[in-house]
Amino acid sequence: MRDRAEPPGPAVVPSPTGPLGTVIRIARFTAVMYKPHYLLYGVLWVLALEGTAALVTQPDSSWHPTWATALRIVVVAFVLLYLRMVDEQKDLDYDRVHNPDRPLVTGAVTALDLRAAMAVIAIGAIAASLLLSVGSAVAIAAVLAYGLGLWGLERLSEPIRTSILLNLLVTYPVQLLVTAYVVVSAIDTGEVESGWQAAAAAVIFAGAFLQFEFARKTSRTPRPGEMYYSNALGTVGSVAAALGCAVVAVAADLLLVRPWEHEGARAVIGWIPLVLLVVPFLGGGRFLRSQDGDYPVIPAVLFILTLYLALIAQAAVPG
């Protein structure tokens, strides 16, 4: 999905031609478009999701990461980079107008470079997932294919390109497919028991991500032609959507984990997500009372990261 414009980077330094030049340009692209906090998000997402799925299917046990968990983290981290490469190409026309400093627009990287890197990532992700299970490989292949399908669909459909709510409806399932990959793979390798609770855990992560998604594209300032939820929902409606998603995430966690049925550290940690709701609500309330142009993203980021840390902690402590 489209991000706010990145700050202008340094002048593009010519790179060698051939494979070495491609590697250098992809490295520069990754440094600009795949910031460390994106990687941190991917790591915490996998740990929190696997841990939560294990906890809600095996509430009397404590979860701990394994070598399979580490391999899933590597796969997801590279697949998230793959999806950013897809976005860079499918959003090129939009970025030429609204984000002219993006690497593909400036020529810091070429479409051929990105496609070569995507092919390498796709082969590596499927091969690595095969080490886990056939189901893991099939699930990650579905993620990669859906990303390409979105690219084609947006090229064919103007409403999907221009309507942010329709675009969200079509693009968000790729996140659900990544969630399915982690859960299916963890079931196959024994970290998670099969059950409806493991699938229901996806609601927690959908709510957490969507509260951030709405927050980062909400503004009090009119932004005609830009993909902002506040353009479609109004400022108050967009803020309400972000906060509502945060409530859904926490409510789903409480209903699945049921901290009132646990004792000791797990019971205490299990209530932390409810306390963390203060963070996005303070951010949203401050924004509505202020005259700031854009919604503050830091509370949304803080909520999602601290929520994931709490989910990891509650799964890891003894039951």
Side-chain angles (χ1 to χ4, degrees):
M1 299 177 188
R2 300 176 179 89
D3 294 328
R4 290 172 178 166
E6 298 283 346
V12 177
V13 179
S15 56
T17 58
L20 178 59
T22 295
V23 171
I24 291 173
R25 289 189 294 273
I26 290 298
R28 290 174 181 165
F29 170 86
T30 303
V32 172
M33 299 302 297
Y34 197 59
K35 302 294 188 183
H37 57 272
Y38 296 151
L39 179 59
L40 175 62
Y41 168 77
V43 172
L44 293 180
W45 181 14
V46 175
L47 292 175
L49 175 56
E50 183 180 308
T52 301
L55 173 60
V56 299
T57 56
Q58 305 168 84
D60 295 329
S61 303
S62 60
W63 163 85
H64 62 275
T66 66
W67 70 269
T69 309
L71 187 53
R72 276 188 286 273
I73 288 172
V74 172
V75 169
V76 169
F78 275 100
V79 168
L80 292 179
L81 176 59
Y82 169 99
L83 294 173
R84 291 202 68 81
M85 292 175 174
V86 171
D87 281 350
E88 185 76 1
Q89 295 169 85
K90 74 181 181 65
D91 297 341
L92 179 59
D93 291 339
Y94 178 90
D95 289 338
R96 282 178 174 144
V97 176
H98 300 289
N99 300 306
D101 56 335
R102 287 290 177 88
L104 189 58
V105 177
T106 64
V109 69
T110 69
L112 187 60
D113 294 331
L114 294 175
R115 291 167 192 175
M118 287 167 58
V120 171
I121 291 173
I123 293 169
I126 293 172
S129 295
L130 272 174
L131 297 176
L132 298 169
S133 70
V134 173
S136 301
V138 171
I140 206 64
V143 176
L144 300 168
Y146 195 87
L148 290 178
L150 286 176
W151 184 4
L153 192 58
E154 287 197 21
R155 289 176 66 90
L156 294 173
S157 173
E158 183 178 356
I160 292 176
R161 289 196 307 273
T162 57
S163 170
I164 190 167
L165 295 179
L166 181 58
N167 186 270
L168 177 66
L169 184 65
V170 172
T171 58
Y172 181 70
V174 75
Q175 295 271 338
L176 293 178
L177 287 174
V178 176
T179 294
Y181 164 73
V182 174
V183 173
V184 167
S185 181
I187 290 172
D188 287 348
T189 55
E191 287 80 15
V192 174
E193 291 290 327
S194 180
W196 68 266
Q197 298 93 335
V203 177
I204 303 170
F205 296 86
F209 174 81
L210 288 173
Q211 71 85 32
F212 167 72
E213 172 67 12
F214 280 104
R216 76 191 183 100
K217 294 181 180 178
T218 294
S219 178
R220 179 176 283 109
T221 305
R223 292 178 175 268
E226 295 191 62
M227 296 288 275
Y228 269 66
Y229 296 104
S230 48
N231 287 344
L233 300 174
T235 300
V236 174
S238 193
V239 171
L243 298 181
C245 288
V247 171
V248 167
V250 171
D253 174 61
L254 293 177
L255 290 173
L256 286 171
V257 175
R258 305 172 74 86
W260 54 87
E261 294 184 355
H262 296 282
E263 298 178 352
R266 180 171 287 175
V268 174
I269 297 172
W271 289 107
I272 290 178
L274 183 60
V275 177
L276 292 177
L277 272 178
V278 171
V279 176
F281 273 84
L282 284 176
R286 180 189 175 281
F287 172 69
L288 291 175
R289 292 190 303 270
S290 74
Q291 296 301 315
D292 294 344
D294 293 334
Y295 192 92
V297 177
I298 290 178
V301 173
L302 186 61
F303 172 73
I304 197 170
L305 295 182
T306 53
L307 176 64
Y308 286 5
L309 287 172
L311 297 178
I312 294 168
Q314 72 181 3
V317 298

